[in-house]
């Protein structure tokens, strides 16, 4: 009989991509049956999941009472929180801990938490405002203290898909031939990139052998790419000249209050690196575990063009 895999965030990027990966996978589509959690079972996104024969259960991470039914009978849980919805660390921490508590009480074998590094620790207390990282790391510490047979930590890099979503800066057309990518990073800053639709490829080893990966962090990225490499590849693929802003232009691009909240993130990336001092080694370890081809930045761009045709 198949095992129940409960997926939070199934109507969003990470959970949605994981649902598709499992459904399309010759082995996992038989090993697991899926339950998708959403706050609104009547949404278009939930209806699409239902059409794929995924069970839909309503629950709200802000309402711990609803989480027991959500995880009841689960063998595995994928848990993710959306920091940006309320942009408050205390909310994300409470959500993550409530879900972990419900899962441990339900006897879940494999608990996967979508985590991020602890920036306060990595920077020896120098950066204290990268809340959307630190709050996830705090939940990770909490989960490590619970008695799951296996807890696994998925640490995604910068999503390639950020070129479309609202938090990241949008490319701006300067002329017919030139596009500014208002990325507040110096050209040499190294950023780990993930095509989030690859999520299942990183998790597959732990799904096959949860106990082997108990306590492991999967630093999930295809590779580190410098900001300069990113715009050069984008130029080659798009046929336009994609350029980074000069340092003097960067402050003009950070007037958005939400982006100001993450204004320490570029400093962290350029001085300390996204995954901290052991990031390169950790990424190499993660890539050794993965046995499927990961999407490169170039492949992502080639698959999703044409670029900049309608921008203004
Ligand atoms: N973008 C990046 O580069 C990047 C990199 C690393 C980490 N992250 C982290 O990724 C997280 C967001 O993940 P995502 O992009 O996959 O999400 P997303 O596409 O924005 O979707 C959010 C998902 O969370 C669910 N959700 C939100 N609040 C909920 C609640 N109270 N109860 C139950 N479900 C709730 C939503 O479900 P319903 O609306 O259907 O209820 C939806 O499925 C953020 O915390 C961010 O910090 C992002």
């Amino acid at each position: 009989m198949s095992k129940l895999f409960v997926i939070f965030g199934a109507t969003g990027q990470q959970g949605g991509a994981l649902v598709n990966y499992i459904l399309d996978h010759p082995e996992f589509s038989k090993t697991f049956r899926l339950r998708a959690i959403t706050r609104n079972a009547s949404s278009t996104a939930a209806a699409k999941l239902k059409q794929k024969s995924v069970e839909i259960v309503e629950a709200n991470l802000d309402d711990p009472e609803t989480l027991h039914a959500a995880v009841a009978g689960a063998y595995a849980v994928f848990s993710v929180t959306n920091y940006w919805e309320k942009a408050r660390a205390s909310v994300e921490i409470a959500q993550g801990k409530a879900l972990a508590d419900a899962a441990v009480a339900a006897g879940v074998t494999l608990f996967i938490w979508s985590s991020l590094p602890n920036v306060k620790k990595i920077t020896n207390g120098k950066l204290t405002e990268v809340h959307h990282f630190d709050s996830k790391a705090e939940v990770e510490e909490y989960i490590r203290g619970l008695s799951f047979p296996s807890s696994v930590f998925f640490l995604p890099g910068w999503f390639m898909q950020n070129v479309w979503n609202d938090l990241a800066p949008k490319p701006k057309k300067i002329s017919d031939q030139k596009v500014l990518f208002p990325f507040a990073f110096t050209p040499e800053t190294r950023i780990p990139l993930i095509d989030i639709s690859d999520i299942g490829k990183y998790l597959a080893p732990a799904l096959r052998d949860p106990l082997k990966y108990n306590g492991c962090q999967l630093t999930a990225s295809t590779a580190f790419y410098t900001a300069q490499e990113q715009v050069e590849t984008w130029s080659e693929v798009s046929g336009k000249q994609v350029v980074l802003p000069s340092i003097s232009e960067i402050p003009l691009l950070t007037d958005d209050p939400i982006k100001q909240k993450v204004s320490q993130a570029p400093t962290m990336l350029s001085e300390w690196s996204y995954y901290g001092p052991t990031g390169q080694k950790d990424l190499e370890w993660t890539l050794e575990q993965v046995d499927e081809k990961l999407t490169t930045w170039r492949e992502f761009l080639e698959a999703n063009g044409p670029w900049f045709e309608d921008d203004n």
Side-chain angles (χ1 to χ4, degrees), residues 38 129 179 192 203 287:
T38 174
E129 301 289 324
V179 178
L203 296 178
L287 296 178

Side-chain angles (χ1 to χ4, degrees), residues 7-17 37-41 43 45-46 49 58-63 66-67 78 80-86 91-92 95 114-116 132-133 135-136 154-162 165 167-168 192 194 196 199 274-275:
I7 300 188
F8 278 76
T11 57
Q13 298 188 88
Q14 299 183 53
I37 308 303
T38 174
R39 287 163 296 179
N40 180 8
S43 70
L49 291 167
E58 273 190 7
N60 189 332
L61 289 164
D62 292 324
D63 182 357
T66 64
L67 300 176
F78 173 76
V80 59
T81 42
N82 183 10
Y83 174 88
W84 299 110
E85 196 164 306
K86 302 223 171 94
V91 171
E92 182 163 57
Q95 290 181 338
S114 183
S115 193
L116 280 173
H132 60 303
F133 276 57
S135 50
K136 292 179 181 69
F154 173 73
L155 280 70
W158 181 269
F159 299 178
M160 296 181 192
Q161 283 77 0
N162 285 345
N165 84 33
L167 273 180
I194 178 173
I196 203 60
I199 182 171
Y274 190 99
Y275 290 126

Side-chain angles (χ1 to χ4, degrees), residues 4 14-16 32 79 121 133 160 173 175 179 185 208 211 220 224 230-231 271 287 289 297 304-305 308:
L4 178 62
Q14 299 183 53
F32 299 113
S79 55
K121 268 196 198 154
F133 276 57
M160 296 181 192
K173 202 162 170 178
S175 70
V179 178
F185 299 128
R208 289 204 178 93
L211 299 186
F224 284 95
Q230 288 181 47
V231 291
E271 290 180 31
L287 296 178
Q289 313 310 308
W297 173 236
N304 291 291
F308 316 126

Side-chain angles (χ1 to χ4, degrees), residues 215-247:
C216 290
Q217 285 188 329
L218 299 164
T219 45
S221 301
T222 306
F224 284 95
Y225 296 86
T226 66
Q228 185 61 30
E229 278 170 336
Q230 288 181 47
V231 291
E232 280 172 11
T233 306
W234 215 348
S235 302
E236 285 164 23
V237 172
S238 68
K240 311 268 184 206
Q241 191 192 358
V242 187
V243 295
L244 293 167
S246 65
I247 296 296

Side-chain angles (χ1 to χ4, degrees), residues 279-297:
Q280 182 65 44
K281 209 165 68 42
D282 295 343
L283 180 57
E284 283 164 17
W285 179 83
T286 300
L287 296 178
E288 278 166 26
Q289 313 310 308
V290 174
D291 60 7
E292 293 174 74
K293 161 98 180 67
L294 297 169
T295 310
T296 64
W297 173 236

